[in-house]
Amino acid sequence: MSTAQADPLTTKQTNIYGVPGRLIDMPTAEVAPDAQLSTTVSIYGSGNNQTTRTTLSFQMLPRLNASFRYSAIGGLVPTPGRPTFTTLYDRSFDLSYRFLNEGKYHPAMSIGLRDFAGTNIYSGEYIVATKSFAQGKLALTAGLGWGRLGSYGSIGSTGTRKTGFLGQGGIPSYDRWFRGDVAAFGGLSYQPTEKLGFAVEYSSDAYDREVRDGALDHKSPWNFGVSYKASEALRFAAYSLYGDEIGASVTLTLNPRNPAVKGGLEPAPLPVAVRSAQSAADLGWSTDPARRASTTAQSQETLSALLEKEGISLHAMSMSGREAHVQIRNHRYDMRAQAFGRTARAMTRSLPASVETLTVTLMTQGVPSTAATFPRSDLERLENAPAQAMREATTLSDGRRFDTGLSYHEEALPRFEYSVSPFLRLSVFDPENPVRANAGVQAKAKYHFAPGWAVSGSVSQKLVGNLDKSSPPGASGLPRVRSNVAFYSRTDTPTIDHLTLAHYGRPAENIYSRVTAGYLERMYAGVSGEVLWKPVESRLGLGAEINYVQPRDFDQQFGLRSRNTGTGVIPEWNGHVSAYLDMGYGFHGQLDVGRYLAGDWGATVALDRVFANGWSIGAFATKTNVSSDTFGEGSFDKGLRITIPFAWGLGTANKRSSTTTLRSLTRDGGARLEVEDRLYERIRDTHDPQLSRGWGKFWR
């Protein structure tokens, strides 16, 4: 099949492990729709032997799926060296890749790794084939499995496979992949109606450890399931498992590429004002100084009023007989092309007809970012044409080139911004309590008093929560730079999240700078400096950051602590050099190399898929010169992060978003300063190619 959407083996259904497929325990060669994000909660067993799996699955590419699973496994005897709990909590990662799409006469085929970087509780590998029949209603699956998937009914072996618990977990177990006993598995799924589905499978997982510890009685390799689609976003399933258990699951799905609210609820933009040929040639207003001053003032006043209605502020402006340049502050449009489009329309309705070349510069943190230059005649000609035609007529360049001879709008500086909103801080994967959280009210304010200069602060008041109940991990031989986070959550008085003086600059073309001083974040005060090279139309960006830090008091007021934490001394200096790359298809890669808060040296690799509408889903991993044993459980810092734009759910333009980071237990190795407004995150969405991905909103 040429596309996943036309593929009968594309499904929104997941199995009991939370990965795409219409079977139960066993994998298939089915995939989810491209970019689908699903959350599956499955449960089987009862009492102390109950197992719950919560899986987040993301179809990264049409053929590549990645899943993260957090399991609460009841009834297992703890492994020596681990704390004793009635329930064993375990993290696992899966990858599957369909290397062959289904054809008329041959099946689709996939290869996969289950729990490939975990503790070996769920680890297994497989090669599987699935063929559809009857327009996709019937699907047959057969495959070969290793590890857990090769533990029942072995038909051979591919060498010796190490067994047992994998230390602290978190490290890919390359030496185990596709080794050991091999077993066959298979199944059949049938979808008689759009909503109802049935499945039967032969499982090659013997559940050896669960049986050994008395957590499960494995009487049969045959599993049976029934599923029901309540809506496009919600599915339920029930299972008969192992001849002795029953189970159930619920799956929620969404796709970042598809808006929650169809269409868009923001008001329609102003139409372009079309000039007559005679008025466009009239330069009389620009030859008389008095008339030129009057016309410029009137144009600025009219344009400012029109832009305010669009959620855009006029920052500065210059105008001559044939050209006009405006700097704007975009408060509303997460798709920056939409801000360009609405500003250009307003300019056609407020500027003299002789002005042909219109340039609009986006201001970011008080400094110019991208400038878009439009021929006015093309705006008039292409208003009802596809947005891509206008993109081809638009020139993007560094706004610094136009940052001279401007007249600031009276409300540009100084100006004051503030907001009050709820906050939620999460801690996940603590073996004593998988989810902890604090919630309360947060007030933010920022005062811009000169070009590029700002004083900002944030104050929080906790109302409810239990983050203070978590226990710091044992000494690791590193300074406690993050692992004492619980002490920062034990105060019930207002806390200063940050209080800083910052300067943002444009020292040269394609160069951005930031210097921030004060209380930089909840745990650290000091000074942070950063420089970024990023041409507007380049996929590559390069940056460097250096920080001087001092730990703050646990009450997060104005006091500071000693750098000596009892387990080591926090270094004064840390920092990184960074490379950023837009890899195409929405993928952004980032590499940071340098010194971390605890003084360890290493690198962080991050990969995010960023959608034109502001959604972002990605993963990161940090490896430093700290050994896995010294780091502790998880072996090294890693995690997932998801950014959800408010506009996606509201259906109206909105620049706000919510970012959630899911990571292993807070450790000291690989920890980095959490300074506000790092440059690349602020600049990226105003540059190409990300800007052009959202250009379809130009005329909206």
Side-chain angles (χ1 to χ4, degrees), residues 27 73 251 538 675:
I73 310 170
T251 300
S538 173
V675 65

Side-chain angles (χ1 to χ4, degrees), residues 545-586:
E545 176 181 296
I546 187 168
N547 309 301
Y548 174 87
V549 298
Q550 178 83 23
R552 295 178 59 186
D553 277 347
F554 296 130
D555 64 4
Q556 296 153 82
Q557 297 292 321
F558 295 98
L560 301 175
R561 293 190 294 115
S562 166
R563 289 193 180 87
N564 192 334
T565 66
T567 61
V569 178
I570 300 174
E572 296 178 349
W573 298 94
N574 63 79
H576 292 76
V577 293
S578 303
Y580 312 91
L581 181 63
D582 186 320
M583 305 167 70
Y585 205 71

Side-chain angles (χ1 to χ4, degrees), residues 156-404:
S157 175
T158 56
T160 302
R161 184 185 185 98
K162 295 181 180 179
T163 60
F165 181 70
L166 286 174
Q168 302 288 355
I171 298 177
S173 49
Y174 310 104
D175 57 345
R176 305 185 185 212
W177 295 351
F178 298 99
R179 295 188 180 182
D181 290 345
V182 185
F185 62 86
L188 177 151
S189 64
Y190 178 57
Q191 198 82 24
T193 70
E194 182 184 355
K195 292 182 176 293
L196 190 63
F198 299 93
V200 58
E201 70 177 13
Y202 174 87
S203 171
S204 58
D205 186 346
Y207 280 76
D208 287 334
R209 181 167 178 180
E210 288 85 345
V211 171
R212 181 197 70 190
D213 293 348
L216 184 148
D217 190 2
H218 188 274
K219 294 181 177 180
S220 170
W222 292 98
N223 299 324
F224 304 89
V226 58
S227 63
Y228 178 75
K229 183 179 80 170
S231 69
E232 287 300 322
L234 180 63
R235 284 169 166 75
F236 299 96
Y239 313 106
S240 171
L241 305 166
Y242 331 122
D244 191 57
E245 298 283 357
I246 59 172
S249 69
V250 58
T251 300
L252 290 170
T253 63
L254 58 85
N255 197 308
R257 301 173 67 179
N258 303 326
V261 178
K262 301 295 183 182
L265 304 178
E266 65 263 26
L270 293 167
V272 172
V274 180
R275 305 163 293 170
S276 66
Q278 294 80 6
S279 64
D282 182 9
L283 288 169
W285 70 272
S286 63
T287 60
D288 181 340
R291 187 178 171 192
R292 182 172 65 244
S294 174
T295 302
T296 300
Q298 182 179 356
S299 296
Q300 187 178 78
E301 181 180 350
T302 303
L303 178 59
S304 176
L306 291 176
L307 291 179
E308 284 298 326
K309 294 179 181 178
E310 303 286 2
I312 299 170
S313 293
L314 179 63
H315 188 78
M317 178 177 173
S318 66
M319 187 170 68
S320 64
R322 292 297 187 189
E323 298 180 357
H325 172 222
V326 300
Q327 293 179 333
I328 62 169
R329 302 191 308 276
N330 168 31
H331 308 296
R332 179 177 295 172
Y333 302 101
D334 55 326
M335 310 279 273
R336 273 59 174 186
Q338 194 170 6
F340 277 136
R342 297 222 170 190
T343 301
R345 288 172 180 267
M347 292 175 76
T348 68
R349 306 188 70 82
S350 57
L351 305 186
S354 66
V355 178
E356 167 62 18
T357 302
L358 311 181
T359 298
V360 181
T361 296
L362 292 173
M363 301 297 288
T364 303
Q365 299 299 325
V367 298
S369 178
T370 301
T373 300
F374 319 101
R376 188 168 176 175
S377 55
D378 284 337
L379 288 168
E380 297 168 348
R381 178 174 59 88
L382 298 172
E383 182 180 17
N384 296 312
Q388 183 57 33
M390 194 63 227
R391 174 65 186 90
E392 294 170 359
T394 301
T395 301
L396 298 180
S397 56
D398 190 335
R400 187 179 183 276
R401 299 179 185 178
F402 304 93
D403 196 27
T404 57

